[in-house]
Amino acid sequence: MCHGAPISAFPEAKLGAPFGAQVHGYSYGDVGDKRIAILPDIYGCNPFYQGMAAHFLNKGARVDLIDPFHGLGELPEITREAAFARRNKVQDKTFLDAFGAYVSEAGVTGVIGFCLGGLYIFELARRGLPAGLVGLYGFPQGLPNDDPIDPPFTYLSSIKQPFVMLMGRDDEPVGRDNIDKLEAAASSAPAMSLTVYEGVGHNFLPLLDSDAPEKRALAEDAMRQCEETLL
């Protein structure tokens, strides 16, 4: 699965203040030159992302933890099957149209997305969203949807807006073949700053808590790239 449990590298996890207009979510803080939007994975606004929001808040940013699944109910069980069943009800293009309007009106300066949110980062870069953009574990082959966005592999070389994409070599949900294909495409996609970390898979950022120095070091490098892009 993607993320869920809080990690000690982040502050205590708690929900921010609910908000909702074009999109819904939870806000953290009301001052700061930087405003960051977090697009979570298919499990939603869980304690991992709450802690991340608090982390960026402590760094001086305003933070909005976005809930792409607003109105679709809570997960009946914390399983990949249940999460994808709910994810499949999200209308991708419609959601991103609304998200783009929110970014413009709210003055968002940076967006970070994980898993499904990582797929959205590809599309936001394609649309030229004027913000710092970071994706982790995005799906360059796309995901099926009733209101689909194009697979990133079909447009990578045409993207002009710079963005960062962080992947693990052994990412089973994305597929190692797709990781290799994305790496091969990077030379013709100069807007993409791609890092593929060896020896880890789909959900490596919680390795910030790892007791293994080499694993923790790669997660720290990923977090460094996130902060340098967003803050």
Side-chain angles (χ1 to χ4, degrees), residues 24 67 142 150:
H24 293 75
D67 183 6
D150 292 335

Side-chain angles (χ1 to χ4, degrees), residues 91-99 127 147:
Q91 301 293 300
D92 285 349
K93 184 177 182 300
T94 299
F95 170 77
L96 287 174
D97 289 347
F99 181 77
R127 296 183 181 201
D147 188 20

Side-chain angles (χ1 to χ4, degrees), residues 67-70 72 83-96 116 120 144-148:
D67 183 6
F69 313 106
H70 176 80
L72 299 177
F84 261 106
R86 184 177 67 171
R87 171 274 177 281
N88 290 338
K89 298 176 184 177
V90 178
Q91 301 293 300
D92 285 349
K93 184 177 182 300
T94 299
F95 170 77
L96 287 174
L116 173 62
Y120 290 161
N145 191 253
D146 289 339
D147 188 20

Side-chain angles (χ1 to χ4, degrees), residues 65-221:
L65 175 55
I66 306 301
D67 183 6
F69 313 106
H70 176 80
L72 299 177
E74 297 295 325
L75 289 176
E77 55 184 2
I78 308 301
T79 64
R80 189 170 184 269
E81 292 74 21
F84 261 106
R86 184 177 67 171
R87 171 274 177 281
N88 290 338
K89 298 176 184 177
V90 178
Q91 301 293 300
D92 285 349
K93 184 177 182 300
T94 299
F95 170 77
L96 287 174
D97 289 347
F99 181 77
Y102 143 81
V103 165
S104 178
E105 293 189 15
V108 170
T109 59
V111 184
I112 182 169
F114 296 77
C115 184
L116 173 62
L119 168 61
Y120 290 161
I121 292 296
F122 284 113
E123 176 67 15
L124 293 171
R126 178 195 193 186
R127 296 183 181 201
L129 191 79
L133 300 174
V134 184
L136 292 90
Y137 342 130
F139 290 81
Q141 73 273 38
L143 288 171
N145 191 253
D146 289 339
D147 188 20
I149 52 179
D150 292 335
F153 278 140
T154 66
Y155 59 76
L156 272 176
S157 62
S158 68
I159 296 176
K160 304 299 183 185
Q161 176 66 26
F163 70 104
V164 172
M165 188 59 60
L166 308 174
M167 310 291 287
R169 177 72 67 190
D170 302 326
D171 190 324
E172 291 185 5
V174 173
R176 182 163 181 150
D177 55 338
N178 286 314
I179 300 293
D180 293 346
K181 184 178 176 181
L182 182 65
E183 195 170 42
S187 61
S188 60
M192 178 176 63
S193 175
L194 174 68
T195 301
V196 179
Y197 295 103
E198 302 293 340
V200 293
H202 189 68
N203 55 342
F204 57 75
L205 200 59
L207 292 171
L208 289 166
D209 277 359
S210 176
D211 293 331
E214 69 280 4
K215 299 292 188 183
R216 187 172 63 252
L218 72 82
E220 289 172 346
D221 181 75

